[in-house]
Amino acid sequence: GRLVPKGEWLTAFKTEDYYLKISGGALEEELVSDFMSLLRGSPLFNNVSFIYTQNSQVGKTKVVLFEVTCNYSMQPPGAQ
């Protein structure tokens, strides 16, 4: 399935010791919640946390900028 909902884009990833910070934008705040739910539902991510959202504008389009953090695993639980 798709991990990033339509109407949302990722702009930056920062990793360090299985810690991941993801920045991006969305056309509406609900899409940020959808993205976080998808991360939480994946066996590869845990401790998903919302850091911030900020209303902004790209050209004439209103957008929501966001940042989330989580821990990640290179293999899903139970993988050999």
Side-chain angles (χ1 to χ4, degrees), residues 8 10 12 14 18-24 31-42 44-53 65-72:
E8 185 169 82
L10 305 180
K14 182 178 180 182
Y18 298 98
Y19 173 83
L20 177 62
K21 180 165 51 172
I22 304 169
S23 302
L31 294 173
V32 179
S33 295
D34 292 347
F35 178 59
M36 291 184 65
S37 294
L38 289 169
L39 288 174
R40 287 183 176 126
S42 170
L44 298 176
F45 303 99
N46 56 53
N47 299 324
V48 178
S49 299
F50 163 80
I51 303 301
Y52 74 84
T53 60
L65 304 178
F66 69 89
E67 187 173 285
V68 298
T69 61
C70 60
N71 296 104
Y72 67 93

